[in-house]
């Protein structure tokens, strides 16, 4: 009996037809595609995207060149050179670069920062057009921070109770 | 000079050039391809003789099957081409001698009087509905039925002989039996156990 | 025949060839679009919808992109053969269209050996694959070409036997005559007496064109893209074009051999036949072919890839025995004129020919 059942199942392609029927039904189902630039999926405030360097409200850059982020970075994407600032002699970075090709967006730099200077924003749709553009300099990072400060601050505030 | 003659000379030239290519080209894969081209142009020549069935069969059997296996073998072999052609100049005289000898023998048998195009009567052109396939079928399955069937049986014997020559007894290999795999039922392999979910003990969140 | 006449005739033939090939290339372009859309829909996605209204210009954009890209010849590759391979692959797949009839009289070459010619053309396409793999100087390409070649050669046998059945049923190797032999009604078509052959021919066709679920030659997860890994730009486009042209060819041939080609499916039905009489046969043929093309895409969206030994087993141990058995059944079917398919072809009609 079982043999016959198996025979029929094999030669009448029962299981294959069941599969075809499934895809046929899905052909007419509602589509779930998110039309990206017009529609976006909701994001968490903890989303880890493009990096930014923040400033204090008075305009002073937060980074104190402690190099913790450079040390913790698993992909060795961050390069920092430090030195006293010419105007007041405080310890600052003279060079702060992130190679975005190396970065794996793990967020360790953000976690390690004692002054909440380096952060990862929610921005994920960016691109580079030339070779070399992938290395973000300190000026670029600060500019990103200035531009999205409101969003960054809100996200940090929302996440603060859980830290 | 009509178009057919032109086409004939075109394909005849390709046949000869490709045939020379088979023995003179450096790369053996290219030599095989030259042989394929030779078969092709020979098939085109047969088409000119209104033997379309034979022409297509030549392509199907020789080009489509035999030469593919040839190509496989040649590709898989690691042939040192430079070493192969070392003796070319040394053996050339012998080759030429043999070639001319063979040509002479053929010439001796056929002779020039029978050879020219004016000696052989031009085959009669066939009318529109003529089917080469049908004629061939009538000949093979009518007039030459027994020779044809005997040839078939000989081929069958050859196939069986080839298999039995290469077959070296049952191998004790560990392989997957697709038949058995297909026959497996879900119930034989999968057991669904219904059990209660166990509550996590307090303080044991590792 | 004067030279002028010859020239005009030559141009007329070239014109007819273009009349087949240009729509074919356009059809290939839009088959890729249909494939992406349909598979998208079956996976509950939308598919390409950005270029042009509803994405309708997507294939054009793809073509432009492929034309602009550089054809890279890998180092250590045999350059002549590397560039020859795509041409060797596409030439037979285009040449096969010469014997395909689009309507009762609409055929480029009305030859008596159409069926054999088709088989020959599909069998030469292997050369393009083997040479592409060998000339690329790449392991993946070589493995892919070996897989592809052995698959094509194996399924060619099953396909050849299936075509023998069609030839027996049709009583001719001329494709037009095969379709005419199915004249009558939708029940006169060969899909009923040749049903197992239809299934086998169809599946072998899918396997021959290296389509999913038989696409181990280009199994992305193992060997990247098989025999055409190293090809880029236009050379890759030629492979792509040939593959899709073969798909369309197989679909049209299935319609011709088993589903009455250009014949009206409503033939012999009292009211529907006069009502649909004005539709040209080509439309019917293309509609039938479109359904099989859809089936190919549908199969790809549904089934996971076969394992390699399973493919070989299916071809050699399942398809070939079934076709041989059905050939014997068919012999009796024809000789005893069961049903209404083979009227006037049995023992009673031919009697003592030999």
């Amino acid at each position: 009996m079982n043999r016959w059942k198996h025979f029929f199942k094999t030669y009448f392609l029962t299981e294959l037809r069941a599969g075809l029927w499934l895809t046929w039904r899905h052909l007419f189902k509602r589509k779930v595609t998110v039309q990206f630039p017009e529609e976006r999926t909701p994001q968490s405030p903890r989303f880890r995207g493009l990096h930014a360097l923040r400033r204090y409200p008075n305009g002073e850059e937060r980074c104190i060149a402690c190099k913790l982020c450079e040390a913790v970075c698993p992909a060795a994407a961050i390069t920092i050179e430090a030195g006293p600032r010419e105007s007041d002699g405080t310890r600052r970075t003279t060079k702060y670069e992130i190679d975005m090709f190396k970065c794996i967006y793990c967020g360790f730099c953000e976690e390690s920062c004692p002054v909440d200077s380096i952060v990862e924003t929610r921005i994920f749709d960016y691109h580079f057009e030339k070779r070399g553009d992938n290395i973000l300099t300190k000026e670029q990072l600060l500019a990103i921070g200035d531009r999205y400060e409101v969003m960054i601050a809100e996200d940090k505030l929302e996440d603060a109770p859980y830290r | 000079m009509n178009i057919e003659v032109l086409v004939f000379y075109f394909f005849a030239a390709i046949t000869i050039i490709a045939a020379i290519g088979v023995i003179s080209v450096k790369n053996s894969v290219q030599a095989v391809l030259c042989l394929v081209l030779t078969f092709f142009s020979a098939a085109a020549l047969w088409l000119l003789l209104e033997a379309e069935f034979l022409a297509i069969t030549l392509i199907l059997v020789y080009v489509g099957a035999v030469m593919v296996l040839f190509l496989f073998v040649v590709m898989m072999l690691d042939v040192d081409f430079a070493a192969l052609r070392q003796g070319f100049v040394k053996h050339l005289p012998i080759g030429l001698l043999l070639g001319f000898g063979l040509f002479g023998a053929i010439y001796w048998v056929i002779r020039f009087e029978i050879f020219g195009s004016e000696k052989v009567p031009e085959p009669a052109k066939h009318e529109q509905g003529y089917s080469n396939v049908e004629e061939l079928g009538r000949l093979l399955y009518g007039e030459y039925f027994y020779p044809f069937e005997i040839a078939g049986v000989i081929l069958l014997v050859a196939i069986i002989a080839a298999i039995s020559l290469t077959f070296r007894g049952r191998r004790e290999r560990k392989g997957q039996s697709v038949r058995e795999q297909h026959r497996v039922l879900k119930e034989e392999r999968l057991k669904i156990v219904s059990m209660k979910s166990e509550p996590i003990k307090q303080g044991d969140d590792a | 025949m004067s030279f002028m006449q010859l020239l005009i005739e030559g141009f007329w033939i070239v014109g007819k060839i273009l009349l087949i090939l240009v729509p074919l290339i356009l059809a290939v372009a839009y088959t890729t679009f249909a494939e992406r859309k349909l598979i998208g829909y079956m996976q509950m996605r939308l598919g390409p919808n950005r270029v042009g209204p509803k994405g309708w210009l997507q294939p054009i954009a793809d073509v432009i992109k492929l034309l602009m890209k550089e054809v890279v010849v890998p180092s250590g590759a045999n350059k002549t053969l590397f560039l020859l391979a795509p041409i060797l692959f596409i030439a037979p797949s285009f040449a096969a269209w010469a014997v395909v009839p689009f309507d009762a009289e609409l055929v480029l070459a009305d030859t008596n050996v159409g069926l054999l010619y088709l088989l020959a053309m599909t069998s030469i396409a292997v050369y393009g694959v083997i040479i592409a793999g060998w000339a690329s100087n790449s392991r993946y390409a070589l493995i892919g070409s070996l897989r592809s070649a052995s698959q094509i050669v194996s399924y060619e046998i099953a396909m050849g036997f299936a075509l023998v059945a069609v030839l027996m049923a049709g009583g001719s190797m001329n494709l037009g005559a095969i379709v005419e032999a199915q004249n009558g009604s939708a029940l006169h078509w060969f899909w009923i007496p040749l049903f197992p052959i239809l299934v086998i021919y169809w599946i072998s066709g899918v396997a021959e064109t290296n389509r999913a679920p038989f696409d181990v030659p280009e199994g992305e997860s193992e060997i990247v893209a098989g025999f055409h890994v190293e090809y880029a730009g236009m050379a890759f486009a030629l492979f792509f074009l040939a593959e899709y042209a073969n798909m369309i060819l197989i679909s049209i041939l299935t319609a011709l051999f088993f589903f009455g080609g250009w014949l009206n499916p409503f033939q012999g039905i009292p009211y529907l036949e006069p009502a649909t009489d004005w539709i040209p046969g080509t439309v019917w043929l293309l509609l039938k072919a479109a359904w099989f093309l859809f089936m190919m895409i549908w199969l790809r969206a549904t089934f996971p890839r076969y394992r390699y030994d399973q493919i070989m087993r299916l071809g050699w141990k399942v398809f070939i025995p079934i076709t041989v058995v059905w050939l014997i059944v068919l012999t009796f079917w024809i000789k005893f004129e069961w049903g209404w398919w083979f009227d006037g072809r049995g023992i009673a009609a031919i009697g003592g020919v030999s």
Side-chain angles (χ1 to χ4, degrees), chain C residues 39-329:
Chain C
I39 291 183
Y41 267 60
M42 285 176 179
Q43 294 168 348
M44 294 169 73
R45 297 183 286 112
L46 285 174
N49 65 348
R50 290 280 158 181
V51 189
K54 298 259 172 198
W56 275 97
L57 295 179
Q58 180 72 44
I60 312 287
D62 288 341
V63 168
I64 292 171
K65 184 201 81 175
L66 282 170
L67 279 171
M68 308 258 276
K69 279 176 97 169
E70 183 190 354
V71 178
V72 185
V73 181
S75 66
N78 188 327
K79 197 174 173 189
T80 335
L81 291 183
F82 185 79
L83 296 177
L84 186 69
I87 300 166
L88 280 182
F89 193 52
I90 199 162
S93 76
F94 276 176
W97 287 85
V99 294
V100 173
F102 294 96
D103 206 337
E105 296 298 320
L106 214 59
V107 51
L108 183 63
D110 195 10
T111 165
N112 278 327
V113 284
L115 217 58
L116 264 188
Y117 175 82
L118 280 173
L119 257 184
M121 284 304 130
T122 44
S123 66
I124 337 177
V126 191
Y127 282 99
V129 174
I130 300 180
I131 291 168
W134 186 79
S136 295
N137 189 32
S138 156
R139 288 179 185 85
Y140 293 132
L142 190 60
I143 294 172
S145 78
L146 287 184
R147 286 186 182 187
S148 175
S150 52
Q151 184 175 319
I152 291 177
V153 170
S154 312
Y155 276 86
E156 189 124 308
I157 298 168
M159 202 178 208
F161 271 121
L163 288 187
V164 168
V166 171
L167 148 71
M168 277 167 65
S172 171
M173 283 206 276
N174 183 316
L175 271 68
I178 291 173
V179 173
E180 284 307 328
Q182 304 178 46
N183 207 342
S185 72
L187 295 177
H188 279 75
W189 297 348
F190 287 155
W191 64 278
I192 301 173
L194 294 181
F195 191 75
I197 299 291
L198 159 69
V199 174
I200 284 169
Y201 177 80
W202 170 246
I203 297 174
S204 306
V206 175
E208 279 238 351
T209 47
N210 291 339
R211 295 279 307 171
F214 301 99
D215 59 343
V216 279
E218 41 196 276
E220 292 87 351
S221 47
E222 312 141 33
I223 49 171
V224 198
F227 58 90
H228 55 61
V229 213
E230 305 290 346
Y231 285 89
M234 219 43 226
F236 169 74
L238 287 186
F239 277 114
F240 204 69
L241 196 62
E243 186 186 326
Y244 279 78
N246 279 337
M247 275 169 67
I248 300 175
L249 181 70
I250 294 287
S251 309
I252 285 206
L253 290 183
T254 314
L256 283 173
F257 292 154
F258 303 100
F259 288 88
W262 58 79
L263 300 173
N264 187 338
F266 301 118
Q267 218 176 3
I269 298 173
Y271 295 103
L272 278 171
E273 194 196 350
T276 53
D277 225 17
W278 55 273
I279 299 174
T282 315
V283 174
W284 289 122
L285 176 64
L286 294 181
L287 274 178
K288 290 167 188 172
W291 166 254
F292 289 107
L293 209 52
F294 170 74
M295 282 275 291
M296 273 200 183
I297 296 166
W298 190 9
L299 285 180
R300 182 177 169 190
T302 308
F303 299 124
R305 191 173 296 139
Y306 257 78
R307 212 173 60 205
Y308 197 72
D309 62 317
Q310 288 175 332
I311 291 184
M312 284 298 147
R313 177 184 170 273
L314 189 71
W316 287 97
K317 293 186 177 174
V318 180
F319 281 179
I320 294 175
I322 292 180
T323 40
V324 171
V325 166
W326 203 259
L327 275 183
I328 296 166
V329 171

Side-chain angles (χ1 to χ4, degrees), chain A residues 50-99:
Chain A
L50 186 65
H51 301 256
L53 281 173
R54 294 179 70 193
R55 292 176 193 274
Y56 287 115
N58 63 4
E60 177 67 270
E61 57 182 294
R62 287 185 182 228
C63 184
I64 51 169
C66 68
K67 295 198 183 185
L68 276 173
C69 49
E70 187 185 20
V72 81
C73 183
I78 305 178
T79 314
I80 300 175
E81 279 169 18
R85 189 157 59 185
E86 278 174 17
S87 56
D88 54 357
T90 51
R91 181 187 163 88
R92 297 290 162 192
T93 54
T94 54
K95 181 178 169 191
Y96 191 110
E97 286 179 356
I98 302 180
D99 188 342

Side-chain angles (χ1 to χ4, degrees), chain B residues 6 11 20 22 48 92-93 105 121 134 151 157 193:
Chain B
L6 263 178
F11 281 112
I20 292 171
V22 175
L48 279 181
L92 191 63
E134 219 175 298
V157 170
V193 186

